[in-house]
Amino acid sequence: LLQVAACITAACLEPVPGWFDRIVFHDSEDAARMRCGAAPVVQAMHDRTGLWDHLSRGAGLPVVDAELRAFIDQRVPAGVQVRLAGSRVSGVDVPFARRFLPSTYRRLHYRVVDVSSIAFVAATFGWSDGYFGKQRTHRAADDLAESIAELCWIRSRVEAAGV
């Protein structure tokens, strides 16, 4: 994982002020090894974003975990578990958080909101028309903002369909 971003939203999907966005530290040798081992499309994607060059200035995972947990604790009442949400979060993000962000993981609800799955269901049942266009900048905060916007877009289509 190269970057972690988070935003707390109200139930209406309105973001609570403040965003969390951290690059994860990897020394230059690790970054080069990861880049060489990545698929060509991933190499090119992060060449475009410049992310490969910023990894050596990132924060270590224990620091990211502590900062992200503090970010959540400042915005969500104690005892309330937060749902991890975004596009395709189930397969990679949950196991990653369990292993590498254990303090943050303890604040997560066992249910996740996978926007890509919701989009699939909405399209399958005819509740949405067309496709939500994403910029696909492949930076964590941008991807998260687009997931929130896509979920709002889907909600408006579902409401318009009378579901």
Side-chain angles (χ1 to χ4, degrees):
L1 190 73
L2 306 179
Q3 193 172 22
V4 175
C7 172
I8 307 294
T9 66
C12 65
L13 301 177
E14 183 67 30
V16 172
W19 282 70
F20 180 87
D21 189 4
R22 298 291 182 274
I23 293 174
V24 176
F25 172 80
H26 294 278
D27 65 35
S28 57
E29 288 179 14
D30 283 342
R33 190 171 27 259
M34 286 189 301
R35 187 186 179 285
C36 288
V41 67
V42 174
Q43 289 176 5
M45 172 178 62
H46 293 311
D47 285 344
R48 277 192 310 277
T49 67
L51 193 53
W52 297 119
D53 298 328
H54 295 284
L55 297 178
S56 64
R57 295 188 296 271
L61 284 170
V63 172
V64 172
D65 187 25
E67 289 179 349
L68 181 54
R69 175 63 186 257
F71 173 84
I72 293 168
D73 289 347
Q74 291 168 358
R75 289 162 178 81
V76 179
V80 175
Q81 291 183 300
V82 298
R83 285 179 171 79
L84 182 63
S87 292
R88 299 174 300 281
V89 294
S90 307
V92 175
D93 296 305
V94 171
F96 183 89
R98 182 182 304 122
R99 182 170 178 193
F100 296 108
L101 306 172
S103 180
T104 300
Y105 180 77
R106 286 191 290 278
R107 281 299 306 263
L108 298 180
H109 194 276
Y110 70 93
R111 290 188 178 129
V112 298
V113 177
D114 192 313
V115 177
S116 57
S117 295
I118 294 169
F120 171 77
V121 170
T124 300
F125 293 146
W127 298 337
S128 67
D129 53 343
Y131 174 73
F132 179 82
K134 291 186 174 184
Q135 297 299 311
R136 300 188 189 277
T137 64
H138 297 288
R139 291 301 293 253
D142 293 341
D143 290 351
L144 181 55
E146 286 188 335
S147 290
I148 294 168
E150 182 176 19
L151 195 53
C152 290
W153 180 83
I154 292 167
R155 181 183 61 197
S156 71
R157 295 325 188 258
V158 170
E159 289 170 348
V163 178

